[in-house]
Amino acid sequence: MDTLREILEILRTDIYVGKNKAANIRIMEKMLLILMSITAVMSLINLTESSVILEVTSLILFIGFTICFVLLKKYENRRIVILLFSLIMVVIFTYYFIFGSSNGFACLWLIVFPYAAMSVIDLKWGLYSSAYFFLLSVFFFWTPAKQFLQYEYS
């Protein structure tokens, strides 16, 4: 039990303090600006392609990234931004996983996002998202809940 407490305490410790925190906040701001630009372009492309689901997703992502950027600029609080960013991603990718958007291709995001989150956002939140997507996959692929998937994954 003490080992578990030690692990949880390590996960609660923020490695970004002082100059490292300021540098990380600047990196997160740049990352959010890039993501805002990408999702704005994706929204325009999806608008011309008449893809409603992808258009809505692009707009949700753009709005979410913009809110994250504004919160980060105003409060310089990484946790709020990381939590909101992760929440947006988890909701969207869970929806894609269950409904099989993009002919099942969206399921690959369950593999890619946790590693990107660990690299770009924070190791702790990447670990949490990895655990969530693993449990989601186990729940829907190896239990009777598979019948609720809208796409026939092979």
Side-chain angles (χ1 to χ4, degrees):
M1 195 63 158
D2 289 334
T3 306
L4 180 60
R5 283 193 189 120
E6 289 173 11
I7 292 171
L8 291 174
E9 187 61 35
I10 289 170
L11 287 174
R12 281 190 212 111
T13 304
D14 195 354
I15 62 171
Y16 296 108
V17 293
K19 290 182 181 178
N20 287 340
K21 182 179 180 181
N24 183 257
I25 286 174
R26 299 295 87 70
I27 290 169
M28 289 178 72
E29 286 173 356
K30 290 175 184 173
M31 178 198 66
L32 286 168
L33 283 172
I34 291 168
L35 289 172
M36 287 164 51
S37 301
I38 291 170
T39 54
V41 170
M42 285 174 43
S43 291
L44 293 174
I45 291 170
N46 290 331
L47 192 59
T48 62
E49 297 289 323
S50 300
S51 177
V52 177
I53 289 293
L54 294 177
E55 174 62 27
V56 170
T57 301
S58 300
L59 286 174
I60 289 170
L61 288 173
F62 177 76
I63 292 167
F65 295 151
T66 304
I67 291 169
C68 287
F69 181 78
V70 169
L71 289 174
L72 189 61
K73 281 296 234 187
K74 185 172 182 176
Y75 299 110
E76 292 198 356
N77 186 336
R78 294 177 62 254
R79 288 186 180 175
I80 293 171
V81 173
I82 290 170
L83 181 62
L84 180 60
F85 182 87
S86 297
L87 181 67
I88 292 166
M89 293 296 142
V90 163
V91 169
I92 286 175
F93 294 147
T94 300
Y95 174 84
Y96 275 176
F97 179 76
I98 293 171
F99 292 97
S101 299
S102 299
N103 295 324
F105 177 75
C107 186
L108 293 176
W109 284 108
L110 301 183
I111 299 166
V112 174
F113 177 71
Y115 294 112
M118 285 181 201
S119 301
V120 177
I121 301 172
D122 190 63
L123 180 64
K124 176 176 43 176
W125 288 99
L127 179 66
Y128 293 155
S129 65
S130 181
Y132 169 77
F133 287 132
F134 172 75
L135 293 173
L136 182 76
S137 300
V138 167
F139 179 73
F140 278 111
F141 284 147
W142 291 291
T143 68
K146 186 175 184 171
Q147 67 185 345
F148 297 114
L149 293 175
Q150 303 295 315
Y151 183 79
E152 188 63 38
Y153 293 102
S154 56

Coordinates of all heavy atoms in Angstrom, one line a residue, residues 44-128:
L44 N -12.4 24.5 -42.8 CA -12.7 25.0 -44.1 C -12.7 23.9 -45.2 O -13.6 23.8 -46.0 CB -11.6 26.0 -44.5 CG -11.6 27.3 -43.7 CD1 -10.5 28.2 -44.1 CD2 -12.9 28.1 -43.9
I45 N -11.8 23.0 -45.1 CA -11.7 21.8 -46.0 C -13.0 21.0 -45.8 O -13.6 20.6 -46.8 CB -10.5 21.0 -45.8 CG1 -9.2 21.8 -46.3 CG2 -10.6 19.6 -46.5 CD1 -7.9 21.1 -45.9
N46 N -13.3 20.7 -44.6 CA -14.5 19.8 -44.3 C -15.8 20.5 -44.7 O -16.8 19.9 -45.1 CB -14.6 19.4 -42.8 CG -13.5 18.5 -42.5 OD1 -13.0 17.7 -43.3 ND2 -13.0 18.5 -41.2
L47 N -15.8 21.8 -44.7 CA -17.0 22.6 -45.1 C -17.2 22.4 -46.6 O -18.3 22.2 -47.1 CB -16.8 24.1 -44.8 CG -18.0 25.0 -44.9 CD1 -19.1 24.5 -44.0 CD2 -17.6 26.4 -44.5
T48 N -16.1 22.4 -47.4 CA -16.2 22.2 -48.8 C -16.5 20.8 -49.2 O -17.1 20.5 -50.2 CB -14.9 22.7 -49.5 OG1 -13.8 21.9 -49.1 CG2 -14.7 24.1 -49.3
E49 N -16.1 19.8 -48.3 CA -16.3 18.4 -48.6 C -17.7 17.9 -48.1 O -18.1 16.8 -48.4 CB -15.3 17.6 -47.8 CG -13.9 17.8 -48.3 CD -13.6 17.3 -49.7 OE1 -14.1 16.2 -50.0 OE2 -12.9 17.9 -50.4
S50 N -18.5 18.7 -47.5 CA -19.8 18.4 -47.0 C -19.8 17.2 -46.0 O -20.7 16.4 -46.0 CB -20.8 18.1 -48.1 OG -20.9 19.2 -49.0
S51 N -18.8 17.2 -45.2 CA -18.7 16.1 -44.2 C -19.1 16.7 -42.8 O -18.3 17.4 -42.2 CB -17.2 15.6 -44.1 OG -17.1 14.6 -43.1
V52 N -20.3 16.4 -42.4 CA -20.9 17.1 -41.3 C -20.2 16.7 -40.0 O -19.8 17.6 -39.2 CB -22.4 16.8 -41.1 CG1 -23.0 17.3 -39.9 CG2 -23.1 17.2 -42.4
I53 N -19.9 15.4 -39.8 CA -19.3 14.9 -38.6 C -17.9 15.5 -38.4 O -17.5 16.0 -37.4 CB -19.2 13.4 -38.5 CG1 -20.6 12.8 -38.3 CG2 -18.3 12.9 -37.5 CD1 -21.2 13.1 -37.0
L54 N -17.1 15.5 -39.5 CA -15.8 16.0 -39.5 C -15.8 17.5 -39.3 O -14.9 18.1 -38.7 CB -15.0 15.6 -40.7 CG -14.7 14.1 -40.8 CD1 -14.0 13.7 -42.1 CD2 -13.9 13.6 -39.6
E55 N -16.7 18.2 -39.9 CA -16.9 19.6 -39.8 C -17.2 20.0 -38.3 O -16.5 20.9 -37.7 CB -18.0 20.2 -40.7 CG -18.2 21.7 -40.5 CD -17.0 22.5 -40.8 OE1 -16.2 22.2 -41.6 OE2 -17.0 23.6 -40.2
V56 N -18.1 19.3 -37.7 CA -18.4 19.6 -36.3 C -17.2 19.3 -35.4 O -16.9 20.1 -34.5 CB -19.7 18.7 -35.9 CG1 -19.9 18.8 -34.4 CG2 -20.9 19.2 -36.6
T57 N -16.6 18.2 -35.7 CA -15.4 17.9 -34.9 C -14.3 18.9 -35.0 O -13.7 19.4 -34.0 CB -14.8 16.5 -35.4 OG1 -15.8 15.5 -35.2 CG2 -13.6 16.2 -34.6
S58 N -14.0 19.4 -36.2 CA -13.0 20.4 -36.5 C -13.4 21.7 -35.7 O -12.6 22.4 -35.1 CB -12.9 20.7 -38.0 OG -12.5 19.6 -38.7
L59 N -14.7 22.1 -35.8 CA -15.1 23.3 -35.1 C -15.0 23.1 -33.6 O -14.6 24.1 -32.9 CB -16.6 23.6 -35.5 CG -16.7 24.2 -36.9 CD1 -18.2 24.4 -37.2 CD2 -16.0 25.6 -37.0
I60 N -15.4 22.0 -33.1 CA -15.3 21.7 -31.6 C -13.8 21.8 -31.2 O -13.5 22.5 -30.2 CB -15.9 20.4 -31.2 CG1 -17.4 20.4 -31.3 CG2 -15.4 20.0 -29.8 CD1 -18.1 19.1 -31.2
L61 N -12.9 21.2 -32.0 CA -11.5 21.3 -31.7 C -11.0 22.7 -31.7 O -10.2 23.1 -30.8 CB -10.7 20.4 -32.6 CG -10.9 18.9 -32.4 CD1 -10.2 18.1 -33.5 CD2 -10.3 18.5 -31.0
F62 N -11.4 23.4 -32.8 CA -10.9 24.8 -32.9 C -11.4 25.7 -31.7 O -10.6 26.4 -31.1 CB -11.4 25.4 -34.2 CG -11.0 26.9 -34.4 CD1 -9.7 27.2 -34.7 CD2 -11.9 27.9 -34.1 CE1 -9.3 28.6 -34.8 CE2 -11.6 29.2 -34.3 CZ -10.3 29.5 -34.6
I63 N -12.6 25.5 -31.4 CA -13.1 26.3 -30.2 C -12.5 25.9 -28.9 O -12.1 26.7 -28.1 CB -14.7 26.1 -30.1 CG1 -15.3 26.8 -31.3 CG2 -15.2 26.7 -28.8 CD1 -16.8 26.5 -31.5
G64 N -12.3 24.6 -28.8 CA -11.6 24.1 -27.6 C -10.2 24.5 -27.4 O -9.7 24.9 -26.4
F65 N -9.4 24.4 -28.6 CA -8.0 24.9 -28.5 C -8.0 26.4 -28.3 O -7.1 26.9 -27.6 CB -7.3 24.5 -29.8 CG -7.2 23.1 -30.1 CD1 -7.1 22.5 -31.4 CD2 -7.1 22.2 -29.0 CE1 -7.0 21.2 -31.6 CE2 -7.0 20.8 -29.2 CZ -6.9 20.3 -30.5
T66 N -8.9 27.1 -28.8 CA -8.9 28.6 -28.6 C -9.2 28.9 -27.1 O -8.5 29.8 -26.5 CB -10.0 29.3 -29.5 OG1 -9.7 28.9 -30.9 CG2 -10.0 30.8 -29.3
I67 N -10.1 28.2 -26.5 CA -10.4 28.4 -25.1 C -9.2 28.0 -24.3 O -8.8 28.8 -23.3 CB -11.6 27.6 -24.7 CG1 -12.9 28.2 -25.3 CG2 -11.8 27.5 -23.2 CD1 -14.1 27.3 -25.2
C68 N -8.5 26.9 -24.6 CA -7.3 26.5 -23.9 C -6.2 27.6 -24.0 O -5.6 27.9 -23.0 CB -6.8 25.2 -24.5 SG -7.7 23.7 -24.0
F69 N -6.1 28.2 -25.2 CA -5.1 29.2 -25.4 C -5.4 30.4 -24.6 O -4.5 31.0 -23.9 CB -5.0 29.6 -26.9 CG -4.0 30.6 -27.3 CD1 -2.6 30.2 -27.3 CD2 -4.3 31.9 -27.5 CE1 -1.7 31.2 -27.6 CE2 -3.4 32.9 -27.8 CZ -2.0 32.5 -27.8
V70 N -6.6 30.9 -24.6 CA -7.0 32.1 -23.8 C -6.8 31.8 -22.3 O -6.3 32.7 -21.6 CB -8.5 32.4 -24.1 CG1 -9.0 33.5 -23.2 CG2 -8.6 32.9 -25.6
L71 N -7.2 30.6 -21.9 CA -7.0 30.3 -20.4 C -5.5 30.3 -20.1 O -5.1 30.8 -19.0 CB -7.7 29.0 -20.1 CG -9.2 29.0 -20.1 CD1 -9.7 27.5 -19.9 CD2 -9.7 29.9 -19.0
L72 N -4.7 29.7 -21.0 CA -3.3 29.6 -20.7 C -2.7 31.0 -20.7 O -1.8 31.3 -19.8 CB -2.6 28.8 -21.7 CG -1.1 28.4 -21.5 CD1 -1.0 27.6 -20.2 CD2 -0.6 27.6 -22.6
K73 N -3.1 31.9 -21.6 CA -2.5 33.3 -21.6 C -3.0 34.0 -20.4 O -2.2 34.8 -19.8 CB -3.0 34.0 -22.9 CG -2.3 33.7 -24.1 CD -0.8 34.1 -24.0 CE -0.5 35.0 -25.2 NZ 1.0 35.3 -25.2
K74 N -4.2 33.9 -20.0 CA -4.8 34.7 -18.9 C -4.3 34.2 -17.5 O -3.9 35.0 -16.7 CB -6.3 34.6 -18.9 CG -6.9 35.5 -17.9 CD -8.4 35.6 -18.1 CE -9.0 36.6 -17.1 NZ -10.5 36.8 -17.3
Y75 N -4.3 32.9 -17.3 CA -4.0 32.4 -16.0 C -2.6 31.7 -15.8 O -2.2 31.5 -14.7 CB -5.1 31.4 -15.5 CG -6.5 32.0 -15.4 CD1 -7.5 31.7 -16.3 CD2 -6.8 32.9 -14.4 CE1 -8.7 32.2 -16.3 CE2 -8.0 33.5 -14.4 CZ -9.0 33.1 -15.3 OH -10.2 33.7 -15.2
E76 N -2.0 31.4 -16.9 CA -0.8 30.6 -17.0 C -0.8 29.4 -16.1 O 0.1 29.1 -15.3 CB 0.4 31.5 -16.6 CG 0.7 32.6 -17.7 CD 2.0 33.2 -17.6 OE1 2.8 32.9 -16.6 OE2 2.4 34.0 -18.5
N77 N -2.0 28.7 -16.1 CA -2.2 27.5 -15.3 C -2.2 26.3 -16.2 O -3.2 26.2 -17.0 CB -3.5 27.7 -14.5 CG -3.7 26.5 -13.6 OD1 -3.2 25.4 -13.7 ND2 -4.5 26.8 -12.5
R78 N -1.2 25.5 -16.2 CA -1.1 24.4 -17.1 C -2.2 23.4 -16.8 O -2.7 22.7 -17.7 CB 0.3 23.7 -16.9 CG 1.4 24.5 -17.3 CD 2.7 23.8 -17.0 NE 2.8 22.5 -17.7 CZ 2.7 21.3 -17.2 NH1 2.5 21.2 -15.9 NH2 2.8 20.2 -17.9
R79 N -2.5 23.2 -15.5 CA -3.5 22.1 -15.2 C -4.9 22.3 -15.8 O -5.5 21.3 -16.3 CB -3.6 22.0 -13.7 CG -2.4 21.4 -13.1 CD -2.5 21.1 -11.6 NE -1.3 20.5 -11.1 CZ -1.0 20.3 -9.9 NH1 -2.0 20.5 -9.0 NH2 0.1 19.7 -9.5
I80 N -5.4 23.5 -15.7 CA -6.7 23.8 -16.3 C -6.7 23.5 -17.8 O -7.6 22.8 -18.3 CB -7.1 25.3 -16.1 CG1 -7.3 25.5 -14.6 CG2 -8.3 25.6 -16.9 CD1 -7.5 27.0 -14.3
V81 N -5.6 23.9 -18.5 CA -5.5 23.7 -19.9 C -5.3 22.2 -20.3 O -6.0 21.7 -21.2 CB -4.3 24.5 -20.5 CG1 -4.1 24.2 -22.0 CG2 -4.6 26.0 -20.3
I82 N -4.5 21.6 -19.5 CA -4.3 20.1 -19.8 C -5.6 19.3 -19.5 O -5.9 18.5 -20.3 CB -3.1 19.6 -18.9 CG1 -1.8 20.2 -19.4 CG2 -3.1 18.1 -18.9 CD1 -0.6 19.9 -18.4
L83 N -6.3 19.7 -18.5 CA -7.5 19.0 -18.2 C -8.6 19.2 -19.3 O -9.2 18.3 -19.7 CB -8.1 19.4 -16.8 CG -9.4 18.8 -16.3 CD1 -9.2 17.3 -16.2 CD2 -9.8 19.4 -15.1
L84 N -8.7 20.5 -19.7 CA -9.7 20.8 -20.7 C -9.3 20.1 -22.1 O -10.1 19.5 -22.7 CB -9.8 22.3 -20.9 CG -10.8 22.8 -22.0 CD1 -12.2 22.3 -21.7 CD2 -10.8 24.3 -22.1
F85 N -8.0 20.2 -22.4 CA -7.5 19.6 -23.6 C -7.8 18.1 -23.6 O -8.3 17.6 -24.6 CB -6.0 19.9 -23.8 CG -5.4 19.4 -25.0 CD1 -5.4 20.2 -26.2 CD2 -4.8 18.2 -25.1 CE1 -4.8 19.7 -27.4 CE2 -4.2 17.7 -26.2 CZ -4.2 18.5 -27.4
S86 N -7.4 17.5 -22.5 CA -7.6 16.0 -22.4 C -9.1 15.6 -22.5 O -9.4 14.6 -23.1 CB -6.9 15.5 -21.2 OG -5.6 15.7 -21.2
L87 N -9.9 16.4 -21.8 CA -11.3 16.1 -21.8 C -11.9 16.2 -23.2 O -12.7 15.3 -23.7 CB -12.1 17.1 -20.9 CG -13.6 16.9 -20.8 CD1 -13.9 15.6 -20.1 CD2 -14.2 18.1 -20.1
I88 N -11.5 17.2 -24.0 CA -12.0 17.4 -25.4 C -11.6 16.2 -26.2 O -12.4 15.6 -26.9 CB -11.5 18.7 -26.0 CG1 -12.1 19.9 -25.3 CG2 -11.7 18.7 -27.5 CD1 -11.4 21.2 -25.6
M89 N -10.3 15.8 -26.1 CA -9.8 14.7 -26.9 C -10.5 13.4 -26.5 O -10.8 12.6 -27.4 CB -8.3 14.6 -26.7 CG -7.5 15.7 -27.2 SD -7.7 15.7 -29.0 CE -7.8 17.5 -29.3
V90 N -10.6 13.1 -25.2 CA -11.2 11.9 -24.8 C -12.7 11.8 -25.3 O -13.1 10.7 -25.8 CB -11.2 11.8 -23.2 CG1 -12.1 10.7 -22.7 CG2 -9.7 11.4 -22.8
V91 N -13.4 12.9 -25.2 CA -14.8 12.8 -25.6 C -14.9 12.6 -27.1 O -15.6 11.7 -27.6 CB -15.6 14.1 -25.2 CG1 -16.9 14.3 -25.9 CG2 -15.7 14.2 -23.7
I92 N -14.1 13.3 -27.9 CA -14.1 13.2 -29.4 C -13.7 11.8 -29.8 O -14.3 11.2 -30.6 CB -13.3 14.3 -30.0 CG1 -14.1 15.6 -29.9 CG2 -13.0 14.0 -31.5 CD1 -13.3 16.8 -30.4
F93 N -12.6 11.3 -29.3 CA -12.0 10.0 -29.7 C -12.9 8.9 -29.2 O -13.0 7.8 -29.9 CB -10.6 9.9 -29.3 CG -9.7 10.8 -30.0 CD1 -8.5 11.3 -29.3 CD2 -9.9 11.3 -31.3 CE1 -7.7 12.2 -30.0 CE2 -9.1 12.2 -31.9 CZ -8.0 12.7 -31.3
T94 N -13.6 9.0 -28.1 CA -14.5 8.0 -27.6 C -15.7 7.9 -28.6 O -16.1 6.9 -29.0 CB -15.0 8.3 -26.2 OG1 -13.8 8.3 -25.3 CG2 -15.9 7.2 -25.7
Y95 N -16.2 9.1 -29.0 CA -17.3 9.1 -29.9 C -16.9 8.5 -31.2 O -17.6 7.6 -31.8 CB -17.7 10.6 -30.2 CG -18.7 10.7 -31.3 CD1 -20.1 10.5 -31.0 CD2 -18.3 11.0 -32.6 CE1 -21.0 10.6 -32.0 CE2 -19.3 11.1 -33.6 CZ -20.6 10.9 -33.3 OH -21.5 11.0 -34.3
Y96 N -15.7 8.8 -31.7 CA -15.2 8.2 -33.0 C -15.0 6.7 -32.8 O -15.3 6.0 -33.8 CB -13.8 8.9 -33.4 CG -13.9 10.1 -34.2 CD1 -12.8 10.8 -34.5 CD2 -15.2 10.7 -34.6 CE1 -12.9 12.0 -35.2 CE2 -15.2 11.8 -35.3 CZ -14.1 12.5 -35.6 OH -14.2 13.6 -36.4
F97 N -14.5 6.3 -31.7 CA -14.3 4.9 -31.5 C -15.7 4.1 -31.5 O -15.8 3.1 -32.2 CB -13.6 4.6 -30.2 CG -13.4 3.2 -29.8 CD1 -12.4 2.5 -30.4 CD2 -14.2 2.6 -28.9 CE1 -12.2 1.2 -30.1 CE2 -14.0 1.2 -28.6 CZ -13.0 0.5 -29.2
I98 N -16.7 4.6 -30.8 CA -17.9 3.9 -30.7 C -18.7 4.0 -32.1 O -19.3 3.0 -32.5 CB -18.8 4.5 -29.6 CG1 -18.1 4.2 -28.3 CG2 -20.2 4.0 -29.6 CD1 -18.7 4.9 -27.1
F99 N -18.7 5.1 -32.7 CA -19.5 5.3 -34.0 C -18.7 5.0 -35.2 O -19.3 5.0 -36.3 CB -20.1 6.7 -34.0 CG -21.2 6.8 -33.0 CD1 -20.9 7.5 -31.8 CD2 -22.4 6.3 -33.2 CE1 -21.8 7.6 -30.8 CE2 -23.4 6.4 -32.2 CZ -23.1 7.1 -31.0
G100 N -17.4 4.7 -35.1 CA -16.6 4.3 -36.2 C -16.5 5.3 -37.3 O -16.5 5.0 -38.5
S101 N -16.4 6.6 -37.0 CA -16.2 7.6 -38.0 C -15.0 7.4 -38.9 O -14.0 6.8 -38.4 CB -16.1 9.0 -37.3 OG -17.3 9.2 -36.6
S102 N -15.1 7.9 -40.1 CA -14.0 7.7 -41.1 C -13.6 6.3 -41.4 O -12.5 5.9 -41.4 CB -12.7 8.5 -40.6 OG -13.0 9.8 -40.4
N103 N -14.7 5.5 -41.5 CA -14.5 4.1 -41.8 C -13.6 3.3 -40.9 O -12.8 2.5 -41.3 CB -14.0 3.9 -43.3 CG -15.0 4.4 -44.3 OD1 -16.2 4.3 -44.1 ND2 -14.5 5.0 -45.3
G104 N -13.7 3.6 -39.6 CA -13.0 2.9 -38.6 C -11.6 3.4 -38.4 O -10.9 3.0 -37.5
F105 N -11.1 4.3 -39.2 CA -9.8 4.9 -39.1 C -9.6 5.6 -37.8 O -8.5 5.7 -37.3 CB -9.5 5.8 -40.3 CG -8.2 6.5 -40.3 CD1 -7.0 5.7 -40.6 CD2 -8.0 7.8 -40.0 CE1 -5.8 6.3 -40.5 CE2 -6.8 8.4 -39.9 CZ -5.7 7.7 -40.2
A106 N -10.6 6.2 -37.3 CA -10.5 7.0 -36.1 C -10.1 6.2 -34.9 O -9.5 6.7 -33.9 CB -11.9 7.7 -35.8
C107 N -10.2 4.9 -34.9 CA -9.8 4.0 -33.9 C -8.3 4.1 -33.7 O -7.8 3.9 -32.6 CB -10.2 2.6 -34.2 SG -9.9 1.5 -32.8
L108 N -7.6 4.5 -34.7 CA -6.1 4.6 -34.6 C -5.7 5.7 -33.7 O -4.6 5.7 -33.1 CB -5.5 4.8 -36.0 CG -5.6 3.6 -36.9 CD1 -5.0 4.0 -38.3 CD2 -4.9 2.4 -36.4
W109 N -6.6 6.7 -33.5 CA -6.3 7.8 -32.6 C -6.1 7.4 -31.2 O -5.4 8.0 -30.4 CB -7.3 8.9 -32.7 CG -7.2 9.7 -33.9 CD1 -8.0 9.7 -35.0 CD2 -6.2 10.7 -34.2 NE1 -7.6 10.6 -36.0 CE2 -6.4 11.2 -35.5 CE3 -5.1 11.2 -33.5 CZ2 -5.6 12.2 -36.1 CZ3 -4.3 12.1 -34.1 CH2 -4.6 12.6 -35.4
L110 N -6.8 6.2 -30.9 CA -6.6 5.7 -29.5 C -5.2 5.3 -29.2 O -4.8 5.2 -28.1 CB -7.6 4.5 -29.3 CG -9.0 4.7 -29.5 CD1 -9.8 3.4 -29.2 CD2 -9.5 5.9 -28.7
I111 N -4.5 4.9 -30.3 CA -3.1 4.5 -30.1 C -2.2 5.8 -30.2 O -1.2 5.9 -29.4 CB -2.7 3.6 -31.3 CG1 -3.5 2.3 -31.2 CG2 -1.2 3.2 -31.2 CD1 -3.5 1.4 -32.4
V112 N -2.5 6.7 -31.1 CA -1.6 7.9 -31.3 C -1.7 8.9 -30.2 O -0.7 9.4 -29.7 CB -1.9 8.5 -32.7 CG1 -1.1 9.8 -32.9 CG2 -1.6 7.5 -33.8
F113 N -2.9 9.2 -29.8 CA -3.1 10.3 -28.8 C -2.4 10.2 -27.5 O -1.7 11.1 -27.1 CB -4.6 10.6 -28.5 CG -4.8 11.6 -27.5 CD1 -4.5 13.0 -27.8 CD2 -5.2 11.4 -26.2 CE1 -4.7 14.0 -26.9 CE2 -5.4 12.3 -25.3 CZ -5.1 13.7 -25.6
P114 N -2.4 9.0 -26.8 CA -1.7 8.9 -25.6 C -0.2 9.2 -25.7 O 0.4 9.9 -24.9 CB -1.9 7.5 -25.1 CG -3.2 7.1 -25.7 CD -3.2 7.8 -27.1
Y115 N 0.4 8.7 -26.8 CA 1.9 9.0 -27.0 C 2.1 10.5 -27.3 O 3.1 11.1 -26.8 CB 2.4 8.2 -28.1 CG 2.4 6.7 -27.8 CD1 1.6 5.8 -28.4 CD2 3.2 6.2 -26.7 CE1 1.5 4.5 -28.1 CE2 3.2 4.9 -26.4 CZ 2.3 4.0 -27.1 OH 2.3 2.7 -26.7
A116 N 1.2 11.1 -28.1 CA 1.4 12.5 -28.3 C 1.1 13.3 -27.0 O 1.9 14.3 -26.8 CB 0.4 13.0 -29.4
A117 N 0.2 12.9 -26.2 CA -0.1 13.6 -25.0 C 1.1 13.5 -24.0 O 1.5 14.4 -23.3 CB -1.3 13.0 -24.3
M118 N 1.7 12.3 -24.0 CA 2.9 12.1 -23.1 C 4.1 13.0 -23.6 O 4.8 13.5 -22.8 CB 3.4 10.7 -23.1 CG 2.5 9.7 -22.4 SD 3.2 8.1 -22.4 CE 1.7 7.1 -22.0
S119 N 4.2 13.2 -24.9 CA 5.3 13.9 -25.4 C 5.1 15.4 -25.4 O 6.0 16.2 -25.0 CB 5.6 13.5 -26.9 OG 5.9 12.2 -27.0
V120 N 3.9 15.9 -25.7 CA 3.6 17.3 -25.9 C 3.0 17.9 -24.6 O 3.4 19.0 -24.2 CB 2.7 17.5 -27.1 CG1 2.4 19.0 -27.3 CG2 3.4 17.0 -28.4
I121 N 2.1 17.2 -24.0 CA 1.3 17.8 -22.9 C 2.0 17.5 -21.6 O 2.5 18.4 -21.0 CB -0.1 17.3 -22.9 CG1 -0.8 17.6 -24.2 CG2 -0.9 17.9 -21.8 CD1 -2.2 16.9 -24.4
D122 N 1.9 16.3 -21.2 CA 2.4 16.0 -19.9 C 2.5 14.4 -19.7 O 1.5 13.8 -20.2 CB 1.6 16.6 -18.8 CG 2.1 16.5 -17.4 OD1 3.2 17.1 -17.2 OD2 1.5 15.9 -16.6
L123 N 3.5 13.9 -19.1 CA 3.6 12.5 -19.0 C 2.4 11.9 -18.2 O 1.9 10.9 -18.6 CB 4.9 12.1 -18.4 CG 5.2 10.6 -18.2 CD1 5.3 9.9 -19.5 CD2 6.4 10.4 -17.3
K124 N 2.1 12.6 -17.1 CA 1.0 12.1 -16.3 C -0.3 12.0 -17.0 O -1.0 10.9 -17.0 CB 0.9 13.0 -15.1 CG -0.2 12.7 -14.1 CD -0.3 13.5 -12.9 CE 0.0 15.0 -13.1 NZ -0.2 15.8 -11.9
W125 N -0.7 13.0 -17.7 CA -2.0 13.0 -18.5 C -1.9 12.1 -19.6 O -2.9 11.5 -20.0 CB -2.3 14.4 -18.9 CG -2.8 15.2 -17.7 CD1 -2.0 16.2 -17.1 CD2 -4.0 15.2 -17.0 NE1 -2.7 16.7 -16.0 CE2 -3.9 16.1 -16.0 CE3 -5.2 14.4 -17.2 CZ2 -5.0 16.3 -15.1 CZ3 -6.2 14.6 -16.4 CH2 -6.1 15.5 -15.3
G126 N -0.8 11.9 -20.2 CA -0.6 10.9 -21.3 C -0.8 9.5 -20.7 O -1.4 8.6 -21.4
L127 N -0.3 9.3 -19.5 CA -0.5 8.0 -18.9 C -2.0 7.7 -18.6 O -2.5 6.6 -18.8 CB 0.4 7.9 -17.6 CG 0.3 6.6 -16.8 CD1 0.8 5.5 -17.5 CD2 1.0 6.8 -15.4
Y128 N -2.6 8.8 -18.1 CA -4.1 8.6 -17.8 C -4.9 8.4 -19.0 O -5.8 7.5 -19.0 CB -4.6 9.9 -17.1 CG -4.1 10.2 -15.7 CD1 -4.1 11.4 -15.2 CD2 -3.6 9.1 -14.9 CE1 -3.6 11.7 -13.9 CE2 -3.2 9.4 -13.6 CZ -3.1 10.7 -13.1 OH -2.7 10.9 -11.9

